[in-house]
Amino acid sequence: PPVAPAGDGTAGVYGITTAAELAGMSVQALRLYERKGLLEPTRTAGGTRRYSDTDIARLRRIAILIGDGINLTGIARVLGLEADNADLHADNAGLRTRNTDLKNTNAALRTSNNELQAHNKALRGSVDRAGTG
């Protein structure tokens, strides 16, 4: 698969030791979170884990939730719901844009329809006058 550009935060650039340091946790914790499905680092062809900036942010979020006393099952649920919420917000923004576009198209169609009706009325008047003349 094509490699994501480094600037979007999803490219796996950090080894596990560096990722653990950046997230402020142990290497064992990262392995545990991966086993529990909380994290999916990319892998090199040789199988080495590579963590992205997005992964680091997710690890920091996990640390906050643990600090709040939430267990790993609960964290999985919270992270899933947060992802769903972000998707819904993105979908909603897209729908708002589409709605605005449709309103603009509808207004243009109304204007065009009014112009066509006026033109049709003028043509009828011309036909009526020609028929009576």
Side-chain angles (χ1 to χ4, degrees), residues 13-54:
V13 295
Y14 306 110
I16 193 165
T17 303
T18 303
E21 289 174 9
L22 289 170
M25 49 186 64
S26 70
V27 168
Q28 293 81 5
L30 272 63
R31 288 187 180 120
L32 171 66
Y33 301 152
E34 184 179 354
R35 274 195 314 274
K36 295 292 186 178
L38 300 177
L39 190 64
E40 252 186 89
T42 57
R43 299 256 184 180
T44 65
T48 304
R49 292 172 180 91
R50 289 288 176 212
Y51 295 85
S52 67
D53 289 326
T54 302

Side-chain angles (χ1 to χ4, degrees), residues 10-131:
T10 63
V13 295
Y14 306 110
I16 193 165
T17 303
T18 303
E21 289 174 9
L22 289 170
M25 49 186 64
S26 70
V27 168
Q28 293 81 5
L30 272 63
R31 288 187 180 120
L32 171 66
Y33 301 152
E34 184 179 354
R35 274 195 314 274
K36 295 292 186 178
L38 300 177
L39 190 64
E40 252 186 89
T42 57
R43 299 256 184 180
T44 65
T48 304
R49 292 172 180 91
R50 289 288 176 212
Y51 295 85
S52 67
D53 289 326
T54 302
D55 293 328
I56 303 304
R58 186 174 183 90
L59 287 165
R60 290 176 179 156
R61 180 69 178 131
I62 290 168
I64 289 168
L65 294 169
I66 287 171
D68 289 343
I70 301 173
N71 66 27
L72 296 184
T73 302
I75 289 172
R77 183 81 170 141
V78 167
L79 293 176
L81 290 170
E82 287 176 347
D84 290 348
N85 192 39
D87 290 345
L88 289 171
H89 277 283
D91 290 348
N92 194 32
L95 289 171
R96 286 180 194 275
T97 299
R98 179 79 174 125
N99 191 34
T100 298
D101 292 346
L102 289 170
K103 284 179 180 178
N104 291 336
T105 299
N106 195 28
L109 287 171
R110 274 196 197 109
T111 299
S112 179
N113 190 37
N114 289 337
E115 290 169 357
L116 288 170
Q117 285 178 349
H119 185 68
N120 193 20
K121 184 177 181 181
L123 285 174
R124 279 194 195 128
S126 295
V127 168
D128 289 345
R129 284 192 300 279

